[in-house]
Amino acid sequence: MLLDGWEGAAVAATDGAEPPSPDEWTPVELPGRPERFAGEDAVAYRTRFADPRTGDDARALLELEGLYGHADVWLNGDHLGSHHAYFRPARFTVDPGEENELVVVCRR
């Protein structure tokens, strides 16, 4: 399942304890580097999606490719982890809810 409907916002760099909550999210096209955030130290991206599992699937694998710099990932407010490798996908085993919010913060 490909995730779409992404929004982005410049944010202050955080310690990863909580997802950011910017005042305004702007629709962005991903993959790619939104020009409007060029030069920012940290950018948050979010999308929402329904539970992708079917049948008796107990868990799901979330795979994010092309993350820039240091990234922190949250699903429904829970910090899944951090990622530091440019050329390797970030993978997290998750138990999504019926409706989900995914937030990713990328920092230089």
Side-chain angles (χ1 to χ4, degrees):
M1 164 183 179
L2 287 176
L3 299 175
D4 58 6
W6 288 93
E7 299 172 302
V11 296
T14 65
D15 60 5
E18 295 183 20
S21 54
D23 292 333
E24 184 178 347
W25 293 92
T26 303
V28 294
E29 292 292 323
L30 297 178
R33 182 175 168 219
E35 192 64 34
R36 73 179 300 128
F37 301 123
E40 297 291 346
D41 288 332
V43 178
Y45 300 95
R46 78 169 177 186
T47 189
R48 293 182 171 99
F49 63 95
D51 190 341
R53 299 174 295 178
T54 59
D56 295 329
D57 295 340
R59 313 251 5 232
L61 178 66
L62 172 65
E63 182 175 279
L64 301 168
E65 296 179 351
L67 296 177
Y68 173 77
H70 175 88
D72 281 296
V73 181
W74 291 267
L75 181 64
N76 300 327
D78 294 328
H79 189 244
L80 298 179
S82 298
H83 184 70
H84 308 276
Y86 285 111
F87 301 107
R88 293 182 45 187
R91 292 186 180 103
F92 303 96
T93 302
V94 298
D95 187 14
E98 190 173 315
E99 293 296 323
N100 302 278
E101 179 181 68
L102 178 66
V103 175
V104 179
V105 175
C106 295
R107 294 190 308 275
R108 293 191 217 193

